[in-house]
Amino acid sequence: MELKPLHITNAQLIDGDMPRPGSLLVVDGRIAAINPTDIPEGAETVDARGQWLAPGIIDLGVFATDKPAFHFGGITRAALMPDNGPLDGAGLVERAAKGGKPDLWVHPLAAATKGLEGRELAEIGLMQQAGARAIATGRARIADSGVMRRVLAYAASLGLVTIIHAEDEGLTAGAVATDGEMATRLGLASAPAIAEAMAIARDLALVEETGAPVHFRQVTTARGLDLIRAAKAKGLPVLCGITPAHLLLSDTAIGDFRTFARLSPPLRSEDDRHACLAAIADGTIDILASGHDPRGPEDKRLPFAEAQPGMAGAETLLALGLNLVRDGHISPGRLFELLAGTPACLLGVDAGKLAVGKEADLILVDAGTPWQVDAKKMAAYAGNTPFDGMPVQGRATMLWKGGQRIR
């Protein structure tokens, strides 16, 4: 079936800091022109009616391929964490990469070590050939510094970024919350927030030693963010990310033992939350991701300490990102750098921006439409969201993958 050219008119283009009126032409699945003068015959025209036209979201570090949730959330590509499986062999990576095509592209992240056990290097080169776009340590870090050094050096030699979980397991073993008044009041086993900074400090020393590019998937504390800032000032090849949960919620959300707010890393103090907001505003944080990890009642309807951490975040990612725009922390253009532009660069995919020649992964966004997060009505496999009942604004109304309309 031949793909008709697509002409999207009357849009607000997100290709700079602020939305600007314009139109866009797609030919053969790629962006052919912005504000085109010549429209090919037989092109399909879509009137955007003044909505934002933005790059499709590239959600970096999801734990499940959950197409209905991704499509609702305006996500056209997702980088899949290696934990389910784990993705530690070429065949598994190849299968995962086919998981969403043609209407969603899944980019598998290869397990850094065999079985994600942190002991032996996995076959990273073969997994790269099979379609892995980066490697990841999974839900935990690699405790052995010698193994971590070998992983970084090998990944760097292949031109791959290593995606790191940053918590020192010696401090966090058995903990389900962050040290503080809330954990004490609830009688929960907790760990000091410095567990994050200590893990980051070790890995930054190894980055300095090896020159390997890394991405700390979630940095959620003031101390951790200070280390990232200093590393960037030195010119080290370091990126870091966060989910909306650590920007909008603090550990008060676990009151009443709410297991939907049991996350990894755990929610932090209000002071750390404000440090995260400052870091997203000043450019220290590079990527905003959903951390999408749908967990059913068998994982969540348990005593807090026994519940599995994680939240279904794909459907709320865009709306909660728009919250940051409305509150004046970031501009619309910066939001889509966090959601699409930087993730595309990290993965080496030709998308993530409204620019001529890029793949036409596009979304229309009605930035003002109000709705309410409802755990029971979510499209995801499970509705474990800490934002249940929250009124939000903004959603994707149309979505194209490679110029093909998906919804």
Side-chain angles (χ1 to χ4, degrees):
M1 187 184 106
E2 207 187 334
L3 206 52
K4 279 200 326 201
L6 169 70
H7 184 213
I8 303 171
T9 62
N10 192 15
Q12 291 284 330
L13 304 178
I14 309 290
D15 64 349
D17 229 20
M18 297 308 287
R20 65 183 183 102
S23 60
L24 182 139
L25 178 68
V26 175
V27 178
D28 295 332
R30 290 187 179 264
I31 298 171
I34 288 170
N35 295 325
T37 43
D38 294 330
I39 310 304
E41 223 172 296
E44 179 196 353
T45 300
V46 171
D47 182 349
R49 298 187 180 154
Q51 296 181 92
W52 292 6
L53 177 58
I57 294 170
I58 302 173
D59 195 358
L60 192 83
V62 303
F63 290 91
T65 300
D66 193 350
K67 214 183 275 192
F70 294 153
H71 285 166
F72 179 93
I75 295 162
T76 48
R77 295 171 185 256
L80 179 67
M81 290 293 284
D83 297 78
N84 288 351
L87 300 178
D88 63 354
L92 296 163
V93 164
E94 203 171 334
R95 218 173 17 255
K98 291 185 178 134
K101 285 181 178 168
D103 49 350
L104 166 81
W105 280 35
V106 176
H107 298 294
L109 303 171
T113 57
K114 285 184 183 163
L116 282 178
E117 287 168 4
R119 289 196 285 270
E120 277 178 83
L121 261 62
E123 294 171 335
I124 297 167
L126 292 176
M127 288 190 280
Q128 182 183 28
Q129 287 163 21
R133 290 279 180 176
I135 69 168
T137 67
R139 292 182 192 274
R141 72 161 187 168
I142 293 170
D144 184 317
S145 305
V147 174
M148 187 60 174
R149 185 185 174 186
R150 287 197 292 282
V151 163
L152 290 176
Y154 188 36
S157 74
L158 296 169
L160 295 173
V161 177
T162 303
I163 297 172
I164 299 172
H165 181 84
E167 282 184 295
D168 184 310
E169 63 298 322
L171 288 170
T172 59
V176 296
T178 306
D179 281 358
E181 194 187 323
M182 191 45 100
T184 306
R185 214 173 76 207
L186 299 175
L188 293 171
S190 62
I194 56 155
E196 176 175 278
M198 287 174 69
I200 290 171
R202 182 203 72 171
D203 287 340
L204 287 175
L206 291 172
V207 167
E208 219 166 338
E209 172 80 12
T210 57
V214 298
H215 170 59
F216 292 96
R217 195 169 60 86
Q218 297 183 79
V219 182
T220 60
T221 62
R223 301 260 309 252
L225 289 160
D226 284 346
L227 289 172
I228 301 286
R229 240 180 234 110
K232 288 183 167 195
K234 270 190 196 166
L236 294 180
V238 172
L239 297 172
C240 77
I242 199 166
T243 75
H246 287 94
L247 292 164
L248 301 172
L249 302 173
S250 64
D251 58 6
T252 53
I254 66 172
D256 300 335
F257 299 100
R258 284 182 60 218
T259 60
F260 281 6
R262 160 109 162 84
L263 305 176
S264 171
L267 290 170
R268 307 299 193 184
S269 68
E270 193 61 14
D271 286 351
D272 277 332
R273 183 178 83 83
H274 284 290
C276 291
L277 285 170
I280 209 156
D282 72 14
T284 303
I285 293 173
D286 304 280
I287 289 176
L288 182 64
S290 75
H292 189 64
D293 197 1
R295 301 269 195 182
E298 69 285 358
D299 286 337
K300 284 292 188 181
R301 273 211 195 118
L302 293 166
F304 192 90
E306 291 165 35
Q308 293 295 323
M311 66 170 179
E315 288 161 80
T316 50
L317 176 61
L318 175 59
L320 296 173
L322 289 166
N323 240 3
L324 299 171
V325 173
R326 269 192 304 279
D327 291 347
H329 297 293
I330 52 174
S331 68
R334 165 101 168 110
L335 174 63
F336 280 92
E337 270 173 35
L338 290 157
L339 292 174
T342 309
C345 290
L346 187 156
L347 296 167
V349 296
D350 208 9
K353 278 190 171 62
L354 296 191
V356 172
K358 295 279 180 202
E359 286 198 40
D361 298 353
L362 306 168
I363 53 174
L364 279 185
V365 177
D366 181 341
T369 185
W371 56 286
Q372 191 170 22
V373 181
D374 184 342
K376 291 187 184 71
K377 292 186 183 154
M378 288 172 85
Y381 295 145
N384 51 307
T385 171
F387 297 103
D388 189 25
M390 182 174 166
V392 291
Q393 269 175 285
R395 59 164 33 149
T397 58
M398 277 191 203
L399 184 135
W400 292 267
K401 176 80 201 72
Q404 189 97 40
R405 173 124 183 235
I406 306 300
R407 64 169 274 250

